[in-house]
């Protein structure tokens, strides 16, 4: 979006520029031109009338005088016409010069507006590029942080899995030891029972031996 100072305005045409630069003087020049042309036309008509009157008189002196007056009036009319043509050319030259100055001023204004627009656009582009670079830096930092977080999470998950595996192995070892202990305890109970039976048997034999041995000893005595 362009700034208000950089927005180009409507381009004036050559006729509008000429009207703006020569507007006040144009009616007076037109009035002078019309007056001069009317005077020149009247002089030519008077000269023609004098010539016609001199020819109609039939007198040489009147004809010569009429021819002289007609020549003078024709010369004056020619001079007026030449002056009008010269003034018109000078007016056109002034108009063209004023139009050229107007176009030069307009060109300078447009050039200044274009320079302001270019400077504003470059400033905006620079700001946008700085913003993009800053966002790219933040994005790279965020990506690096996300990668580091994923790595830390993977490491923690590996630790948890290792602990869980170690715990499972430890539980399995403890379970195995408990089973072995229970088995040894059962075997010990069985062994105790066997030993108790053997002890009972031995006691019974001892009682029987004592009973039998002492009886025989008493008989021999």
């Amino acid at each position: 979006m362009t700034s208000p100072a950089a927005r180009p305005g409507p381009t004036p045409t050559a006729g509008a520029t000429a009207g703006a630069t020569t507007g006040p003087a144009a009616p007076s020049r037109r009035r002078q031109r019309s007056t001069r042309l009317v005077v020149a036309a009247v002089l030519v008509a008077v000269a023609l009338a004098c010539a016609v009157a001199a020819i109609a008189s039939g007198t040489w002196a009147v004809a010569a005088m009429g021819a002289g007056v007609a020549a003078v009036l024709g010369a004056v009319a020619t001079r007026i016409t030449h002056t009008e043509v010269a003034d018109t050319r000078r007016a056109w030259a002034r108009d063209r010069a004023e139009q050229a100055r107007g176009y030069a001023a307009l060109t300078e204004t447009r050039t200044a507006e274009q320079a302001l627009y270019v400077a504003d656009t470059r400033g905006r582009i620079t700001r946008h590029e700085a913003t993009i670079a800053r966002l790219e830096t933040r994005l790279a930092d965020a990506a690096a942080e996300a990668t580091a977080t994923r790595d830390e999470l993977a490491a923690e998950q590996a630790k948890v899995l290792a602990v869980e595996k170690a715990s499972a192995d430890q539980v399995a070892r403890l379970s195995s030891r408990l089973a072995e202990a229970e088995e040894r305890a059962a075997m010990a109970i069985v062994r105790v029972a066997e030993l108790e039976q053997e002890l009972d048997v031995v006691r019974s034999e001892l009682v029987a031996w004592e009973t039998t041995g002492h009886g025989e000893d008493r008989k021999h005595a």
Side-chain angles (χ1 to χ4, degrees), residues 89 133 177:
R89 289 179 179 178
R177 289 180 182 178

Side-chain angles (χ1 to χ4, degrees), residues 88-171:
T88 301
R89 289 179 179 178
R90 284 193 294 271
W92 287 351
R94 283 194 300 270
D95 290 341
R96 285 194 296 270
E98 290 175 357
Q99 290 179 6
R101 286 193 294 271
Y103 281 121
L106 180 63
T107 302
E108 291 179 359
T109 303
R110 292 293 178 83
T111 302
E113 292 178 354
Q114 184 68 20
L116 290 175
Y117 174 75
V118 171
D120 182 63
T121 304
R122 287 180 179 175
R124 291 184 178 183
I125 292 173
T126 302
R127 290 193 295 271
H128 287 324
E129 289 178 350
T131 302
I132 291 172
R134 185 168 60 254
L135 292 177
E136 288 179 349
T137 302
R138 290 182 179 178
L139 180 60
D141 294 339
E145 184 177 358
T147 302
T149 303
R150 284 198 299 269
D151 294 339
E152 292 178 358
L153 180 61
E156 293 296 330
Q157 289 177 350
K159 289 180 182 179
V160 170
L161 292 176
V163 171
E164 290 179 353
K165 184 177 180 181
S167 299
D169 294 340
Q170 187 175 3
V171 169

Side-chain angles (χ1 to χ4, degrees), residues 5-216:
R7 291 195 185 99
T11 303
T13 60
T17 306
T21 55
T22 63
S28 62
R29 283 205 300 269
R30 281 196 294 270
R31 284 194 297 269
Q32 292 176 2
R33 184 181 303 117
S34 301
T35 303
R36 289 176 180 177
L37 291 178
V38 169
V39 170
V42 169
L43 290 177
V44 171
V46 171
L48 181 60
C50 290
V52 171
I55 294 173
S57 65
T59 306
W60 181 85
V62 175
M65 185 176 61
V69 172
V72 171
L73 293 176
V76 172
T78 303
R79 179 62 181 174
I80 292 173
T81 305
H82 179 270
T83 303
E84 179 61 27
V85 171
D87 290 342
T88 301
R89 289 179 179 178
R90 284 193 294 271
W92 287 351
R94 283 194 300 270
D95 290 341
R96 285 194 296 270
E98 290 175 357
Q99 290 179 6
R101 286 193 294 271
Y103 281 121
L106 180 63
T107 302
E108 291 179 359
T109 303
R110 292 293 178 83
T111 302
E113 292 178 354
Q114 184 68 20
L116 290 175
Y117 174 75
V118 171
D120 182 63
T121 304
R122 287 180 179 175
R124 291 184 178 183
I125 292 173
T126 302
R127 290 193 295 271
H128 287 324
E129 289 178 350
T131 302
I132 291 172
R134 185 168 60 254
L135 292 177
E136 288 179 349
T137 302
R138 290 182 179 178
L139 180 60
D141 294 339
E145 184 177 358
T147 302
T149 303
R150 284 198 299 269
D151 294 339
E152 292 178 358
L153 180 61
E156 293 296 330
Q157 289 177 350
K159 289 180 182 179
V160 170
L161 292 176
V163 171
E164 290 179 353
K165 184 177 180 181
S167 299
D169 294 340
Q170 187 175 3
V171 169
R173 287 195 299 270
L174 291 176
S175 300
S176 178
R177 289 180 182 178
L178 180 60
E180 291 177 356
E182 290 178 352
E183 184 178 359
R184 287 195 299 271
M187 293 177 64
I189 292 171
V190 172
R191 183 60 179 169
V192 168
E194 291 177 354
L195 290 176
E196 287 179 352
Q197 290 178 0
E198 290 179 359
L199 181 59
D200 291 338
V201 172
V202 172
R203 285 178 179 175
S204 299
E205 289 179 354
L206 179 59
V207 170
W209 179 78
E210 287 179 352
T211 303
T212 303
H214 284 291
E216 290 181 353

